[in-house]
Amino acid sequence: GENVEQHPSTLSVQEGDSAVIKCTYSDSASNYFPWYKQELGKRPQLIIDIRSNVGEKKDQRIAVTLNKTAKHFSLHITETQPEDSAVYFCAASSTGNTPLVFGKGTRLSVIA
Amino acid sequence: NAGVTQTPKFRVLKTGQSMTLLCAQDMNHEYMYWYRQDPGMGLRLIHYSVGEGTTAKGEVPDGYNVSRLKKQNFLLGLESAAPSQTSVYFCASIGYPGRPGRAGNTIYFGEGSWLTVV
Protein backbone atom coordinates (compact mmCIF):
# COMPACT_ATOMS: atom_id res chain seq x y z
CA GLY A 1 0.00 0.00 0.00
CA GLU A 2 0.83 3.67 -0.04
CA ASN A 3 3.46 5.06 2.33
CA VAL A 4 3.94 8.79 2.86
CA GLU A 5 7.08 10.19 4.45
CA GLN A 6 7.10 13.82 5.68
CA HIS A 7 10.04 16.01 6.66
CA PRO A 8 10.94 17.79 8.82
CA SER A 9 8.97 16.80 11.90
CA THR A 10 9.50 20.26 13.43
CA LEU A 11 10.33 23.55 11.78
CA SER A 12 10.95 26.97 13.30
CA VAL A 13 11.15 30.09 11.17
CA GLN A 14 11.28 33.80 11.81
CA GLU A 15 8.19 35.79 10.95
CA GLY A 16 8.38 36.89 7.33
CA ASP A 17 10.64 34.04 6.25
CA SER A 18 9.56 31.13 4.06
CA ALA A 19 8.81 27.60 5.22
CA VAL A 20 9.10 24.45 3.14
CA ILE A 21 7.75 21.02 4.07
CA LYS A 22 8.51 18.00 1.92
CA CYS A 23 6.73 14.68 1.42
CA THR A 24 7.52 11.58 -0.56
CA TYR A 25 5.10 8.83 -1.53
CA SER A 26 5.60 5.26 -2.66
CA ASP A 27 2.60 4.36 -4.84
CA SER A 28 3.00 5.59 -8.40
CA ALA A 29 -0.78 5.27 -8.83
CA SER A 30 -1.38 8.10 -6.35
CA ASN A 31 -2.57 11.24 -8.06
CA TYR A 32 -4.23 13.39 -5.41
CA PHE A 33 -2.07 15.23 -2.86
CA PRO A 34 -3.75 17.47 -0.28
CA TRP A 35 -2.19 19.45 2.56
CA TYR A 36 -3.92 19.97 5.89
CA LYS A 37 -3.34 22.44 8.69
CA GLN A 38 -4.27 21.44 12.19
CA GLU A 39 -4.35 23.85 15.10
CA LEU A 40 -4.20 22.59 18.65
CA GLY A 41 -7.39 20.82 19.63
CA LYS A 42 -9.00 21.31 16.24
CA ARG A 43 -9.77 19.14 13.25
CA PRO A 44 -7.47 19.09 10.20
CA GLN A 45 -8.40 21.74 7.65
CA LEU A 46 -7.61 21.47 3.95
CA ILE A 47 -5.40 24.36 2.86
CA ILE A 48 -4.38 23.37 -0.64
CA ASP A 49 -4.33 20.30 -2.86
CA ILE A 50 -2.81 19.27 -6.16
CA ARG A 51 -3.59 16.58 -8.68
CA SER A 52 -1.09 14.69 -10.77
CA ASN A 53 -1.86 16.52 -13.99
CA VAL A 54 -0.56 19.74 -12.43
CA GLY A 55 3.04 20.49 -11.40
CA GLU A 56 2.42 23.53 -9.23
CA LYS A 57 -0.50 25.31 -7.61
CA LYS A 58 -0.54 28.56 -5.70
CA ASP A 59 -3.03 30.23 -3.40
CA GLN A 60 -1.84 33.57 -2.04
CA ARG A 61 1.09 32.78 0.31
CA ILE A 62 0.77 29.02 -0.05
CA ALA A 63 2.02 26.91 -2.92
CA VAL A 64 2.42 23.22 -3.56
CA THR A 65 4.76 21.61 -6.08
CA LEU A 66 4.63 18.05 -7.36
CA ASN A 67 7.34 15.96 -8.99
CA LYS A 68 5.73 12.74 -10.15
CA THR A 69 8.94 11.28 -11.50
CA ALA A 70 10.63 11.58 -8.12
CA LYS A 71 7.37 10.92 -6.25
CA HIS A 72 7.63 13.91 -4.00
CA PHE A 73 5.61 17.02 -3.32
CA SER A 74 6.25 20.07 -1.21
CA LEU A 75 4.37 22.82 0.62
CA HIS A 76 5.78 26.33 0.46
CA ILE A 77 4.57 29.09 2.75
CA THR A 78 5.96 32.56 2.06
CA GLU A 79 5.94 35.61 4.32
CA THR A 80 5.10 33.48 7.32
CA GLN A 81 2.98 34.93 10.10
CA PRO A 82 2.49 33.80 13.71
CA GLU A 83 -0.96 32.48 12.82
CA ASP A 84 0.71 30.01 10.43
CA SER A 85 1.98 28.16 13.51
CA ALA A 86 0.30 24.75 13.49
CA VAL A 87 0.87 21.13 12.54
CA TYR A 88 0.81 20.49 8.80
CA PHE A 89 0.02 17.13 7.23
CA CYS A 90 0.54 15.95 3.70
CA ALA A 91 -1.49 13.08 2.28
CA ALA A 92 -1.80 11.01 -0.87
CA SER A 93 -4.37 8.84 -2.55
CA SER A 94 -5.32 7.49 -5.94
CA THR A 95 -8.60 8.13 -7.67
CA GLY A 96 -9.87 4.64 -6.92
CA ASN A 97 -11.34 3.48 -3.64
CA THR A 98 -8.17 4.06 -1.67
CA PRO A 99 -8.45 6.34 1.37
CA LEU A 100 -6.02 9.15 2.08
CA VAL A 101 -2.71 8.11 3.62
CA PHE A 102 -1.19 10.82 5.78
CA GLY A 103 2.35 11.80 6.62
CA LYS A 104 3.27 12.06 10.28
CA GLY A 105 3.05 15.81 10.35
CA THR A 106 5.30 18.85 10.70
CA ARG A 107 4.99 21.19 13.64
CA LEU A 108 5.65 24.68 12.30
CA SER A 109 6.49 27.48 14.71
CA VAL A 110 6.66 31.03 13.42
CA ILE A 111 8.63 33.21 15.78
CA ALA A 112 7.62 36.86 15.95
CA ASN B 1 -25.83 22.01 7.50
CA ALA B 2 -23.91 20.29 10.31
CA GLY B 3 -21.37 18.48 8.10
CA VAL B 4 -19.71 15.67 10.03
CA THR B 5 -20.70 15.26 13.69
CA GLN B 6 -18.98 12.99 16.19
CA THR B 7 -20.30 11.92 19.57
CA PRO B 8 -19.14 11.83 22.26
CA LYS B 9 -16.47 14.50 22.18
CA PHE B 10 -14.73 13.35 25.37
CA ARG B 11 -14.82 10.03 27.18
CA VAL B 12 -12.83 8.27 29.88
CA LEU B 13 -13.04 4.49 29.94
CA LYS B 14 -11.70 1.85 32.24
CA THR B 15 -9.67 -0.98 30.76
CA GLY B 16 -12.00 -3.70 29.52
CA GLN B 17 -15.04 -1.47 29.10
CA SER B 18 -16.79 -1.15 25.79
CA MET B 19 -18.09 1.89 23.98
CA THR B 20 -19.26 3.13 20.61
CA LEU B 21 -18.30 6.32 18.81
CA LEU B 22 -20.93 7.68 16.46
CA CYS B 23 -20.19 9.60 13.30
CA ALA B 24 -23.03 11.23 11.42
CA GLN B 25 -22.86 13.17 8.14
CA ASP B 26 -25.66 15.05 6.43
CA MET B 27 -24.00 15.49 3.02
CA ASN B 28 -25.17 12.19 1.49
CA HIS B 29 -21.54 11.08 1.21
CA GLU B 30 -20.75 7.56 0.11
CA TYR B 31 -17.34 7.16 1.76
CA MET B 32 -16.72 7.40 5.48
CA TYR B 33 -13.54 6.85 7.47
CA TRP B 34 -12.34 6.48 11.02
CA TYR B 35 -8.80 7.69 11.79
CA ARG B 36 -6.91 7.80 15.04
CA GLN B 37 -4.34 10.46 15.79
CA ASP B 38 -1.47 9.94 18.20
CA PRO B 39 1.43 12.32 18.90
CA GLY B 40 4.08 12.06 16.20
CA MET B 41 2.11 9.45 14.25
CA GLY B 42 -0.14 11.53 12.05
CA LEU B 43 -3.58 10.18 11.22
CA ARG B 44 -3.82 6.46 10.79
CA LEU B 45 -6.80 4.77 9.17
CA ILE B 46 -8.69 2.31 11.37
CA HIS B 47 -11.62 1.25 9.19
CA TYR B 48 -13.54 2.73 6.32
CA SER B 49 -16.74 2.26 4.35
CA VAL B 50 -17.43 2.82 0.67
CA GLY B 51 -21.19 2.76 1.05
CA GLU B 52 -24.11 1.67 3.18
CA GLY B 53 -23.66 -1.88 4.43
CA THR B 54 -19.94 -2.03 3.57
CA THR B 55 -16.85 -1.88 5.77
CA ALA B 56 -13.14 -2.46 5.20
CA LYS B 57 -10.01 -2.60 7.33
CA GLY B 58 -7.49 0.17 7.33
CA GLU B 59 -3.95 0.35 8.64
CA VAL B 60 -4.69 -0.22 12.34
CA PRO B 61 -7.97 -2.17 12.66
CA ASP B 62 -7.17 -4.47 15.61
CA GLY B 63 -9.35 -3.92 18.66
CA TYR B 64 -12.03 -2.02 16.74
CA ASN B 65 -15.21 -2.92 14.91
CA VAL B 66 -17.39 -0.77 12.69
CA SER B 67 -20.84 -0.77 11.18
CA ARG B 68 -22.54 1.25 8.44
CA LEU B 69 -26.18 0.26 8.68
CA LYS B 70 -27.35 3.66 7.44
CA LYS B 71 -25.61 5.75 4.84
CA GLN B 72 -25.36 8.77 7.10
CA ASN B 73 -23.90 6.96 10.12
CA PHE B 74 -20.60 5.18 10.70
CA LEU B 75 -20.10 3.61 14.12
CA LEU B 76 -16.76 2.71 15.66
CA GLY B 77 -16.85 0.19 18.49
CA LEU B 78 -14.30 -0.76 21.13
CA GLU B 79 -15.34 -4.09 22.60
CA SER B 80 -12.71 -4.24 25.34
CA ALA B 81 -10.85 -0.97 25.69
CA ALA B 82 -7.10 -0.99 26.29
CA PRO B 83 -4.79 1.88 27.34
CA SER B 84 -3.16 1.66 23.88
CA GLN B 85 -6.45 2.89 22.45
CA THR B 86 -6.11 6.23 24.22
CA SER B 87 -6.16 8.60 21.29
CA VAL B 88 -8.02 11.27 19.40
CA TYR B 89 -10.44 9.77 16.90
CA PHE B 90 -11.49 11.58 13.76
CA CYS B 91 -14.30 10.60 11.51
CA ALA B 92 -14.31 11.85 7.93
CA SER B 93 -16.48 11.58 4.86
CA ILE B 94 -16.12 12.20 1.17
CA GLY B 95 -18.56 12.24 -1.70
CA TYR B 96 -16.95 10.63 -4.72
CA PRO B 97 -13.18 10.20 -4.18
CA GLY B 98 -12.69 8.68 -7.62
CA ARG B 99 -13.65 11.78 -9.57
CA PRO B 100 -10.92 14.41 -9.78
CA GLY B 101 -11.99 17.96 -10.04
CA ARG B 102 -15.36 17.47 -8.41
CA ALA B 103 -16.23 19.17 -5.17
CA GLY B 104 -17.09 15.77 -3.72
CA ASN B 105 -13.41 14.91 -3.62
CA THR B 106 -12.90 17.08 -0.56
CA ILE B 107 -12.66 15.16 2.67
CA TYR B 108 -14.66 16.56 5.57
CA PHE B 109 -13.49 15.85 9.10
CA GLY B 110 -15.51 15.75 12.27
CA GLU B 111 -14.33 17.72 15.29
CA GLY B 112 -12.69 14.72 16.92
CA SER B 113 -13.37 12.52 19.93
CA TRP B 114 -10.88 12.44 22.79
CA LEU B 115 -10.78 9.00 24.36
CA THR B 116 -8.76 8.09 27.44
CA VAL B 117 -8.52 4.50 28.65
CA VAL B 118 -7.26 4.12 32.21
Side-chain angles (χ1 to χ4, degrees):
Chain A
E2 176 66 276
N3 182 51
V4 177
E5 298 283 342
Q6 183 172 347
H7 298 281
S9 56
T10 59
L11 178 61
S12 292
V13 298
Q14 290 291 129
E15 182 178 0
D17 287 350
S18 296
V20 180
I21 303 170
K22 299 181 179 181
C23 288
T24 61
Y25 62 98
S26 61
D27 188 353
S28 57
S30 290
N31 56 10
Y32 175 60
F33 308 95
W35 286 89
Y36 289 84
K37 175 183 180 182
Q38 187 179 31
E39 297 175 341
L40 187 64
K42 301 288 183 64
R43 75 187 92 187
Q45 297 277 4
L46 178 70
I47 56 172
I48 196 168
D49 58 11
I50 192 168
R51 303 184 190 278
S52 61
N53 58 341
V54 177
E56 184 174 356
K57 183 177 178 181
K58 190 173 182 179
D59 183 5
Q60 299 183 342
R61 297 186 297 108
I62 295 173
V64 56
T65 59
L66 171 64
N67 183 328
K68 280 211 75 181
T69 302
K71 288 193 273 189
H72 67 69
F73 56 111
S74 300
L75 178 71
H76 304 253
I77 306 174
T78 59
E79 301 172 17
T80 54
Q81 302 166 1
E83 52 264 39
D84 294 329
S85 296
V87 179
Y88 292 80
F89 293 97
C90 62
S93 76
S94 70
T95 53
N97 293 344
T98 55
L100 281 173
V101 176
F102 287 84
K104 293 184 178 181
T106 297
R107 182 174 300 279
L108 174 64
S109 299
V110 180
I111 304 165
Chain B
N1 186 343
V4 179
T5 304
Q6 292 180 229
T7 53
K9 193 170 178 67
F10 300 98
R11 183 75 186 270
V12 178
L13 279 179
K14 293 183 179 179
T15 298
Q17 284 185 320
S18 63
M19 75 159 295
T20 299
L21 295 172
L22 170 63
C23 177
Q25 52 93 5
D26 60 3
M27 297 171 283
N28 200 35
H29 283 171
E30 293 292 334
Y31 289 61
M32 296 186 74
Y33 310 98
W34 275 108
Y35 287 92
R36 62 176 287 173
Q37 183 174 32
D38 303 292
M41 298 298 291
L43 290 105
R44 293 182 292 169
L45 184 68
I46 306 171
H47 286 280
Y48 66 102
S49 169
V50 300
E52 182 178 312
T54 75
T55 62
K57 294 181 179 179
E59 180 187 355
V60 287
D62 294 343
Y64 304 95
N65 56 74
V66 287
S67 64
R68 184 96 181 271
L69 298 179
K70 294 182 178 181
K71 187 176 183 179
Q72 64 268 34
N73 296 336
F74 194 30
L75 279 65
L76 178 71
L78 287 73
E79 290 188 345
S80 180
S84 61
Q85 294 177 303
T86 294
S87 188
V88 182
Y89 293 84
F90 284 99
C91 176
S93 72
I94 193 167
Y96 298 99
R99 299 183 187 181
R102 287 179 179 260
N105 251 24
T106 302
I107 192 169
Y108 293 82
F109 283 95
E111 293 186 312
S113 295
W114 276 254
L115 177 64
T116 301
V117 183
V118 297

